[in-house]
Amino acid sequence: MKGAQRIDLHRHLDGNIRIGTILELADQNGVVLPATDVEGLRPFVTITTPQPGLMDFLAKFEWSMRVLATPDDCRRVAFENVEDAAREKLDGVELRFSPLFMAREHGLDPAAVVEAVADGVAAGVEKFGVPACLIGILSRTFGVEDCSRELDALLAFREKITALDLAGDEAGFPPALFVEHFRKGRDAGWRVTVHAGEAAGPQSVRDAIELLGAVRIGHGIRSIKDPALLDLLAERGIGLECCPTSNVQTSTVASYSGYPLREFLRRGILATLNTDDPGISGIDFDHELQVAAPACGLDSEEIRQCLANARAITFLEER
């Protein structure tokens, strides 16, 4: 899309670890992998066929998390994410991560992970010149108490974090459990984006907005089932961080053709195109623009509108 800014609003840096990096860190940290070369390891860390659901998709993170044995490993991954954004010719990238998810396998201090990730992103921005910001994730799958620990780790470096997110087992851990967490996040000056309407229904989206203060929604695909919610999204300017390939791979939708991106745009909703977990999905930003979006039925002007929407709702300070 010539002349349009390319900003990826929804990219998990812990879901975008290069296979070569996994191999090198495994060798460095004494982790035995199921394969010892890139092509051999690829089926274990990248989605090759649609999964039965979100939690099956998340299981693909196993080996990449096992090799993160030190804060320096986390720093490297963060730095390489910015390098990848530069290689994809992005004009900006919002990188989100769960410090507890990255820390858990080797018992790292989640605060040390936050510091390392922030340092890695800052070094990448300085070297490659791609504007980037960090979104801290609370991994609801670990439960309310562990999310409080995770929040404390993020708050220890609050000036390096731009927004707060909630991700993981959406169906098992609804937004109502995390009201106090997000009050603290908003009090810290952070914006709020919440994974909702991916593995649970429209009420999850409504609760993310009304209870947690979300100004953007990660995925939000099931909003399509509630016309009143669609009106609310449009009226309040709540952006949808749409990730078509990811949603096909998690079986949230059966196919690209069933993805309601055109309907979101038709209703005046600020829908955007994003990669989610490009390393896990085996894609890049161009794939979502050139393959996924047309398969969803978007024409060139509608794709351009998605890019314009991303620019309008980005948390990046400089647009």
Side-chain angles (χ1 to χ4, degrees):
M1 307 269 47
K2 188 175 180 181
Q5 282 197 324
R6 296 155 52 92
I7 302 174
D8 195 341
L9 302 179
H10 192 118
R11 180 175 292 209
H12 295 255
L13 66 82
D14 39 10
N16 188 42
I17 303 179
R18 301 169 184 171
I19 298 178
T21 297
I22 296 173
L23 289 164
E24 290 178 16
L25 291 179
D27 182 63
Q28 174 182 304
N29 296 323
V31 177
V32 179
L33 297 173
T36 57
D37 62 87
V38 169
E39 291 309 315
L41 187 59
R42 192 181 303 279
F44 294 94
V45 299
T46 304
I47 301 293
T48 54
T49 58
Q51 302 297 292
L54 173 62
M55 300 310 291
D56 300 278
F57 177 93
L58 295 178
K60 286 290 185 179
F61 284 79
E62 176 186 0
W63 294 107
S64 55
M65 293 303 98
R66 282 195 189 185
V67 302
L68 298 180
T70 71
D72 278 342
D73 299 338
C74 301
R75 185 177 291 105
R76 172 180 174 174
V77 166
F79 177 85
E80 289 180 350
N81 263 266
V82 182
E83 184 176 23
D84 289 345
R87 186 175 59 249
E88 294 176 46
K89 295 181 172 53
L90 296 184
D91 295 295
V93 63
E94 298 186 18
L95 294 169
R96 61 190 70 198
F97 73 110
S98 162
L100 191 55
F101 189 51
M102 296 176 75
R104 202 170 176 87
E105 185 68 32
H106 291 276
L108 302 178
D109 177 0
V113 171
V114 176
E115 183 176 27
V117 166
D119 286 350
V121 168
V125 169
E126 182 176 0
K127 181 168 183 178
F128 302 109
V130 179
C133 66
L134 277 174
I135 298 173
I137 289 175
L138 302 185
S139 286
R140 67 216 306 175
T141 311
F142 300 143
V144 172
E145 289 187 10
D146 275 350
C147 281
S148 292
R149 286 180 55 220
E150 192 161 38
L151 177 60
D152 287 342
L154 292 163
L155 286 171
F157 298 93
R158 68 183 66 197
E159 73 283 356
K160 299 180 184 296
I161 305 297
T162 297
L164 187 63
D165 187 12
L166 184 66
D169 184 2
E170 180 191 356
F173 295 87
L177 297 174
F178 302 95
V179 170
E180 183 62 16
H181 299 71
F182 278 79
R183 183 193 66 76
K184 291 179 180 178
R186 295 194 307 274
D187 286 349
W190 295 337
R191 309 294 297 279
V192 173
T193 176
V194 173
H195 282 69
E198 181 184 17
Q203 189 61 45
S204 178
V205 177
R206 190 178 293 274
D207 286 348
I209 297 167
E210 302 290 0
L211 300 181
L212 304 187
V215 297
R216 287 185 355 210
I217 296 293
H219 303 289
I221 187 71
R222 299 191 194 277
S223 302
I224 198 67
K225 297 182 178 181
D226 183 346
L229 176 59
L230 295 178
D231 291 341
L232 176 71
L233 293 170
E235 290 166 6
R236 294 198 187 178
I238 305 291
L240 292 186
E241 304 158 359
C242 298
C243 308
T245 295
S246 172
N247 288 157
V248 170
Q249 291 179 340
T250 60
S251 297
T252 301
V253 294
S255 65
Y256 289 124
S257 62
Y259 199 101
L261 193 46
R262 290 194 76 190
E263 181 64 12
F264 291 149
L265 294 172
R266 188 186 72 78
R267 285 179 168 266
I269 294 169
L270 296 171
T272 61
L273 285 162
N274 309 278
T275 58
D276 202 10
D277 300 288
I280 299 292
S281 290
I283 61 167
D284 58 12
F285 196 73
D286 277 343
H287 180 276
E288 295 306 275
L289 296 186
Q290 298 171 11
V291 178
C296 291
L298 269 60
D299 60 27
S300 60
E301 284 307 309
E302 289 165 330
I303 296 171
R304 187 178 295 276
Q305 185 61 55
C306 287
L307 295 175
N309 289 345
R311 184 179 185 277
I313 64 174
T314 181
F315 294 154
L316 291 165
E317 291 184 2
E318 296 181 5
R319 305 183 190 182

